[in-house]
Amino acid sequence: MNYAWVIVVACLAFYALPVGVVGNTAGIYATPVMEEFGWSRTEATLYMAIQQLVAAAVTPFAGMVLARFNPRWVLTGISLLIGLSTAACVFFDAPWQWNVYGVVYGFCAGFILFLAVPTIINRWFVQRSGFAIGIASAGIGVFGALASPLTQMLISAYDWQTARLVTSLTCMVLSAGLTALLLRPSPESMGVLPYGADESYGRAVPLQERVGTETVVREGATVAQALRSPGLYLLMVVAGCFSMGAFFMQQVPSACAVGPLGAEVGAFAVSAIMLGTVAGKPLLGWLADRIGAVPTGMIAGFGGALGVLIALFSGESAALFFLGVGIYGLGYSSLSIVSPMLGSQGFGTAHFSEIYSYVCMAISVASALGSFAFAFLYDVTGSFTVDYVLVIAIYLVSALLCPLTVKLSQRCWKGAESKGAVPCEEELGPPLS
C-alpha cells in the first residue's frame, strides 16, 4: 500500500479529532455556561470570534513553519496544546478567561483548521487529491457525531466541567499519539514519489527509478501573479461564505434549546450534520476529481441553502429538522473540500500553500464575523430566524460565484503562458527533514 493513505489517517489524527471533538461541540457548552454564570450569548461565545481572528493572523506564520520544519512534530505539539488549553476551561469563571482560551485555540487553528490538510495532501497526492481531502475531512463528521451526544449526556449526568475535561484529554492523547506515530512530511522524506505519479497509482515508486513522465512537475501561478489577480480575492469571498455557512452549525444546539425542539434534539442535530458530512465530504472530493471544482462547489452551495431552508420551516417536527440539517451537511462540507480544490484548480499547485494561506486568512476572518453576527442578531431580535435567512443567502452567493472565481484565477497565469511567458514549474525537491 502506498504510504500516502497512511498520511490520510495522520490527517484524521491532527485535524479531524480535535476539530470534531473539541471544535464542533463548542456550541453545546454555550447554554450551560450562560445559565451558570448569567452571561449573555455574546459574552459566552465571543471567544469563538476571537479564535478565528487569531487564526487569520497566525495562518501566514503557520504556512512558513510547516514549510520549514517537520510537520510531524509541529502538529503533534499543536495537538497537545489544544488538549491542555481546552481542559483548562473547567477552571474558568469569567468571560476574559474564555477569551484568552480563544487566543490559544486560534493560534492552533491557524495551523490545522484550513491549511495543514490540503498542504500535506497536495505533497503526497498528484491523483485523487480531492477524494483524499474528503476522507481526511469526513473524520470530523464521524468524531463530531460521536462526541456531540456523548458530551450532552455527560453534561446532563454530571456537569459541563466534567464533560469538558473527559473529552478534551481523551482527544489529546489520541490526536498527539497518532500524529507522532504516523505523520511524515513528504514522499521525498521517505524516498518515494507521491500517489498517482506512476500509472499504477497504488505503488510507491522509489525516486531513483523515476524516468520520463514519472518526474512530477507542478505548474501554477506564482504568489505575485495570484496577488495581482481578482480571482484570489473572489476566492476569499467564496471561501469566506462557505466558512460563515459552516460556522452556523455552532448555533444549531442553541436554536433548538430555546425553541420547541429542545436541547437534546439540538445535540443530536449536530450529529445529523456530522453524519451528513461523513457522506458529503468524500462525495464532494470524488466529484471534484471527476467533474471539477466549479460544478462541485455549485452543488454544495445550493445543497447547503436547501438544507437550511428545510430546517427553518420544520416547525416542531424533529424528523424534518434532522433531514434539513443533514442536507445542510453537504454545504458544511464545502469549506474543507471545495475551497482548496477551487484554489488548486484556479492557481495550480506550484505555490499552493503560499497562495492558499491568504485564503485561509479570509476564512478565519469570515468565521469570526459569522460567530459575532449570529450571536448579535439573536441578542437583538430574540430569534434565530434572521440567522437562518442569512445562511441561506450566503450559500446561494457562494454557489453563483464559483465559475467566475476559477475563470479569473486561471487567467493570471494560463493567460501569461499563452502569450509566451514561461509557466511556473516546480519539480520534486530534496527530502524535508
Side-chain angles (χ1 to χ4, degrees):
M1 181 185 71
N2 194 307
Y3 197 82
W5 295 108
V6 179
I7 294 299
V8 175
V9 178
C11 290
L12 290 170
F14 71 73
Y15 171 58
L17 257 174
V19 176
V21 175
V22 175
N24 284 357
T25 61
I28 297 176
Y29 293 97
T31 298
V33 169
M34 289 168 57
E35 292 175 350
E36 179 172 341
F37 299 111
W39 301 340
S40 70
R41 186 164 301 278
T42 300
E43 288 177 315
T45 60
L46 180 60
Y47 78 94
M48 298 183 187
I50 291 173
Q51 66 191 26
Q52 297 301 328
L53 292 174
V54 173
V58 168
T59 297
F61 169 74
M64 291 187 292
V65 170
L66 291 173
R68 182 172 182 180
F69 300 101
N70 191 334
R72 178 186 184 185
W73 306 118
V74 172
L75 296 172
T76 297
I78 291 294
S79 299
L80 290 171
L81 185 56
I82 289 175
L84 293 174
S85 60
T86 303
C89 293
V90 303
F91 303 107
F92 296 169
D93 57 8
W96 71 265
Q97 295 168 319
W98 284 90
N99 294 340
V100 171
Y101 166 71
V103 173
V104 176
Y105 186 91
F107 175 83
C108 298
F111 285 82
I112 67 167
L113 202 54
F114 308 116
L115 184 62
V117 169
T119 296
I120 291 174
I121 291 297
N122 275 327
R123 290 180 186 175
W124 278 91
F125 289 82
V126 294
Q127 297 283 344
R128 302 182 185 175
S129 59
F131 183 68
I133 294 174
I135 293 295
S137 301
I140 295 177
V142 175
F143 299 130
L146 295 173
S148 293
L150 175 62
T151 299
Q152 186 61 55
M153 286 189 290
L154 287 171
I155 292 174
S156 300
Y158 300 98
D159 48 46
W160 69 265
Q161 290 92 342
T162 299
R164 193 79 169 182
L165 191 64
V166 170
T167 56
S168 60
L169 293 182
T170 301
C171 174
M172 179 188 71
V173 171
L174 293 174
S175 178
L178 290 174
T179 301
L181 180 65
L182 301 177
L183 186 60
R184 299 295 183 273
S186 66
E188 301 94 297
S189 67
M190 299 185 70
V192 298
L193 288 175
Y195 182 90
D198 69 309
E199 294 182 358
S200 68
Y201 286 1
R203 183 170 62 91
V205 184
L207 289 176
Q208 60 267 28
E209 294 183 9
R210 64 179 182 171
V211 293
T213 58
E214 287 187 341
T215 298
V216 177
V217 177
R218 306 186 188 278
E219 295 185 344
T222 64
V223 176
Q225 288 174 324
L227 289 174
R228 292 194 298 267
S229 170
L232 175 61
Y233 304 100
L234 199 56
L235 178 58
M236 291 180 181
V237 172
V238 172
C241 287
F242 283 139
S243 177
M244 289 185 67
F247 210 84
F248 178 68
M249 187 202 69
Q250 302 291 356
Q251 304 300 322
V252 170
S254 297
C256 292
V258 301
L261 295 174
E264 295 292 337
V265 171
F268 281 97
V270 174
S271 298
I273 296 171
M274 293 296 96
L275 290 175
T277 67
V278 170
K281 289 182 177 180
L283 174 62
L284 292 180
W286 180 83
L287 286 173
D289 288 335
R290 282 156 178 78
I291 65 175
V294 170
T296 303
M298 298 183 72
I299 291 170
F302 289 131
L306 174 62
V308 176
L309 183 66
I310 293 173
L312 174 60
F313 290 101
S314 62
E316 298 183 6
S317 173
L320 190 59
F321 186 80
F322 287 144
L323 174 64
V325 296
I327 297 174
Y328 158 72
L330 187 66
Y332 181 95
S333 303
S334 60
L335 176 59
S336 54
I337 306 301
V338 176
S339 297
M341 294 301 290
L342 286 172
S344 60
Q345 183 174 329
F347 293 105
T349 59
H351 295 278
F352 175 83
S353 61
E354 298 98 317
I355 294 172
Y356 197 66
S357 67
Y358 290 96
V359 180
C360 292
M361 292 175 62
I363 290 173
S364 296
V365 171
S367 296
L369 178 62
S371 174
F372 176 80
F374 294 142
F376 178 77
L377 288 173
Y378 174 81
D379 286 340
V380 170
T381 65
S383 170
F384 282 100
T385 300
V386 178
D387 290 347
Y388 279 98
V389 173
L390 176 61
V391 175
I392 292 170
I394 284 171
Y395 275 124
L396 292 177
V397 169
S398 63
L400 295 174
L401 288 179
C402 283
L404 182 60
T405 298
V406 171
K407 181 178 180 181
L408 292 177
S409 300
Q410 292 179 339
R411 184 181 297 173
C412 76
W413 62 284
K414 288 191 174 182
E417 180 180 347
S418 65
K419 294 178 181 179
V422 178
C424 177
E425 297 183 353
E426 181 181 87
E427 290 194 21
L428 290 176
L432 182 62
S433 59

